[in-house]
């Protein structure tokens, strides 16, 4: 594989191999000069500082050099020329391109014009494969992914990370529990496709029903702008808030994940509990992205 | 030479030596550790992402480290202190300075206060020597520069790249064909100087007259703001647009150059024709700038 | 010491050891691979280009890689999550964090949540230890710090660098001369503490009284916004302006320091005099910060 555009480009074996490789890297078994002398353009057409830093850290850990184009610059490029032209030009400066773009399909388009490998770092409502791979990696650190009971909580309509994760989990016989504000349900086309692939999806109305049942909580942020007013936002947000009290009923091995940043979705007191894996999840972005970089660059 | 400020600082031999060196670099004959441990400040007082990336790529290819100051930051520095002070401070942090500035003469001024070599990456209506050198390099990849028939098309009044290229070509017995909207002709002082140096300049009114005659087209962007209204802009822009149909009459070896970004000046269908050299021209910026860096740093 | 948050965390021996180390580095006696493979996050929640470049230069000189978060990005992070969360996330990407923040106490807070060493690059009205250390280093290049007569001139109320330097000098039996516009005196709590520590503080009204008496002038900028109108600003600013004429009465070994940028406080003609040490002071930021980095990273 020369490009990594979508988690859908991977089969289960492909994912497992990449996660195995990330695991080796995590145990410091990697060549810190693997990308020595290589230049990687990090082209962010919208800001996403965490993702950018995680990729740049991965590049540096492998001895490569980042050529960063932040969102302000990238947007000014975008006004002057087509994405195709920008990619052709940047291809001439770098040995690979990591692209973030607000428009779905932009990464695929970039891969068609690039003369060097392209990694999708998130394109609009589209794909964000590195996030999904690090989510899976974090689950696998605690338990086998196969047959997992996982709850997706929050904005399931617009939450790209939840979509990609659900798709990938359909390869692992997972059971999906969902909890979300009315109107922010999983898109029907997605849930239909998942069920067709044999995934069981159980919609819940109440957080307390979910907690004792599942192995993992995947909490995402509900944006205030999705609600007509602050009151209804706070009403919903507080009814989902993960607290130590709520987790009293959880299985001992339950893990709490969150793609970050979290705002009010998780009580800071949860941070100290063994269930809390979201900061580790964030840290896991580095070895997972190192494995992705090695895959496209070799 | 310790600084590179203007293409006018080079004689024909100096240009040829630099292009020869860039050619060697292009064939991978260079020391990838040449700038190991060296720090190069890339100080851009106005945004120019392509030029910045090209220089930073060149620096990384030689093993050096870029210390980037983007335009927002640079402008905030500029408010607080004189350029002389900024340059003296940055000289203390870096082993060389690559400067881009909106004011003509800024690079020369910088070189007077710097304790380290300065490379001009474009200063206002002034000079942009690295662009001219990569233009010449691209021509030379296809044919000898000497005695070339070249057409400059577009905004010849404000187009700095066209001015610098024309000046350099006067060292190579080139014949200059020009085509531009009324009011955007070559500045008279420039054309007078070129003719004094023995250059033949032929002004054309019609693109179809030019195509069969020349060895190279150097197309530049005409900015919409130069026209009273959109209609007159589109009228002019479309009359100059380079298309496959137009190129049917071209010499087989004709090359089409453009400093990029292109907007409507060149039909994307031209991209696939052997005449199209503008993306290669952009790529050539890296070896040419590597040769420039080596020259000032040795 | 794992973090460097405040100059107050150092005793006199600690400062001297660090300055000795910086001196060695200045004489090129250091391992240019000391931070090879290390990633240092440079997290600037407010712009300070000079400080950023100086740290990034220091990191590069030691072979490390900077992961830069400029102020625009940092502020957008700050809106989405707590500083504690940001620091925990960035800790997962880097081997150390250099932080600049507009709020006093932010660096200390960061050090409490970071899993990697933190260096304070200035936090609001709080501390700026690297500036103080380079100020001390520059003094020591010209004379022993012990027993020095030094004048602080300018905005002594809000001038953080003057506060930190005064505190540090209280460890060296320095005599402090002050000259400032009415209303911009040293904060009383600070001057009370300094006097309690045995420091003699002599307030002056006239620049000409100070010049012949002191070994060092530490000039800081008075911001125009502190004054009701431009006229009173210029009146004050001009009465403090350091000129060659004024320095005619100075001791031969007098040094003039300024944290830069300078605006009108020092006549450019002073630049050529042997008294002028402010550009050297700026350059000294690199070896001093290299010594700080080595201290936290070893």
């Amino acid at each position: 594989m020369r490009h990594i555009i979508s988690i859908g480009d991977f089969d289960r074996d492909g994912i497992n191999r990449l996660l195995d490789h990330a695991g080796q890297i995590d145990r410091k078994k990697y060549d810190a000069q693997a990308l020595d002398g290589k230049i990687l353009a990090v082209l962010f057409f919208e800001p996403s500082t965490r993702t950018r830093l995680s990729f740049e850290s991965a590049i540096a850990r492998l001895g490569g050099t980042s050529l960063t184009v932040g969102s302000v610059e990238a947007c000014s490029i975008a006004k002057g020329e087509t994405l195709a032209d920008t990619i052709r030009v940047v291809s001439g400066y770098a040995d690979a391109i990591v692209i973030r773009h607000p428009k779905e399909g932009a990464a695929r388009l970039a891969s068609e014009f690039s003369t060097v490998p392209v990694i999708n770092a998130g394109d609009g409502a589209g794909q964000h494969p590195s996030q999904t791979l690090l989510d899976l990696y974090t689950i696998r650190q605690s338990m086998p992914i196969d047959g997992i009971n996982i709850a997706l909580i929050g904005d399931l309509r617009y939450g790209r990370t939840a979509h990609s994760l659900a798709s990938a989990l359909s390869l692992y016989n997972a059971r999906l529990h969902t909890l979300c504000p009315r109107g922010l349900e999983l898109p029907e086309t997605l849930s239909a496709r998942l069920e067709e692939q044999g995934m069981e999806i159980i919609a819940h109305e109440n957080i307390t029903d979910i907690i004792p049942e599942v192995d993992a909580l995947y909490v995402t942020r509900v944006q205030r702008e999705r609600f007509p007013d602050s009151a209804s936002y706070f009403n919903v947000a507080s009814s989902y808030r993960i607290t130590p009290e709520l987790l009293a009923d959880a299985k001992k091995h339950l893990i709490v994940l969150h793609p970050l940043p979290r705002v009010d979705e998780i009580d800071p007191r949860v941070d100290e509990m063994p269930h809390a894996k979201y900061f580790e999840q964030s840290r896991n972005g580095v070895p997972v992205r190192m494995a992705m970089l090695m895959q496209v660059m070799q």
Side-chain angles (χ1 to χ4, degrees), chain A residues 5-6 43-47 71 74-75 77-84 87 99-111 118-129 160:
Chain A
I5 304 303
S6 163
L43 204 55
F44 272 49
F45 289 87
E46 68 176 3
S71 57
C75 292
I77 283 189
K79 268 180 240 166
E81 68 185 358
T82 62
L83 181 60
I87 293 298
I99 186 173
R100 170 95 173 193
H101 201 283
K103 284 215 188 108
E104 192 172 345
R108 184 79 66 195
L109 182 77
S111 73
V118 171
I119 293 180
N120 184 2
D123 57 346
Q127 285 284 330
H128 193 358
R160 166 179 61 187

Side-chain angles (χ1 to χ4, degrees), chain A residues 158 184 221-229 233:
Chain A
Y158 301 101
L184 298 181
R221 195 170 164 183
V222 178
Q223 301 198 300
R224 210 168 289 203
E225 303 83 55
R226 308 279 183 221
F227 290 87
D229 54 59
Y233 164 74

Side-chain angles (χ1 to χ4, degrees), chain A residues 44-243:
Chain A
F44 272 49
F45 289 87
E46 68 176 3
S48 176
T49 308
R50 285 165 207 77
T51 304
R52 178 177 76 76
L53 291 179
S54 182
F55 266 111
E56 291 188 3
S57 180
I59 290 165
R61 291 269 180 246
L62 294 168
T65 299
S66 296
L67 216 56
T68 307
V69 185
S71 57
V72 176
E73 273 191 312
C75 292
S76 98
I77 283 189
K79 268 180 240 166
E81 68 185 358
T82 62
L83 181 60
D85 274 17
T86 302
I87 293 298
R88 277 185 281 212
V89 166
V90 174
S91 291
Y93 300 153
D95 301 304
I97 297 174
V98 176
I99 186 173
R100 170 95 173 193
H101 201 283
K103 284 215 188 108
E104 192 172 345
R108 184 79 66 195
L109 182 77
S111 73
E112 283 158 19
F113 288 96
S114 177
T115 57
V116 298
V118 171
I119 293 180
N120 184 2
D123 57 346
Q127 285 284 330
H128 193 358
S130 64
Q131 179 69 45
T132 306
L133 289 165
L134 74 89
D135 293 342
L136 294 171
Y137 183 82
T138 309
I139 295 171
R140 217 177 66 158
Q141 280 187 318
S142 294
M143 64 193 81
I145 307 176
D146 212 79
I148 194 178
N149 269 282
I150 188 168
L152 303 182
I153 299 178
D155 177 352
L156 306 187
R157 182 168 188 78
Y158 301 101
R160 166 179 61 187
T161 57
H163 299 176
S164 288
L165 180 59
S167 298
L169 287 172
S170 74
L171 303 171
Y172 289 89
N173 313 306
R175 267 172 100 207
L176 214 61
H177 302 255
T178 63
L179 178 66
C180 60
R182 208 168 302 272
L184 298 181
E185 290 85 8
L186 279 183
E188 271 195 33
T189 51
L190 176 62
S191 54
R193 185 162 54 73
L194 293 173
E195 288 179 326
E196 200 179 301
Q197 286 163 350
M199 193 179 234
E200 191 180 349
I201 306 180
I202 306 137
H204 293 260
E205 297 269 311
N206 207 313
I207 182 83
T208 51
D209 298 343
I210 288 182
I211 299 285
E213 287 215 28
V214 298
D215 307 303
L217 294 176
Y218 193 86
V219 185
T220 64
R221 195 170 164 183
V222 178
Q223 301 198 300
R224 210 168 289 203
E225 303 83 55
R226 308 279 183 221
F227 290 87
D229 54 59
S230 281
S232 42
Y233 164 74
F234 280 112
N235 194 18
V236 165
S238 64
S239 72
Y240 293 170
R241 187 175 165 86
I242 309 300
T243 61

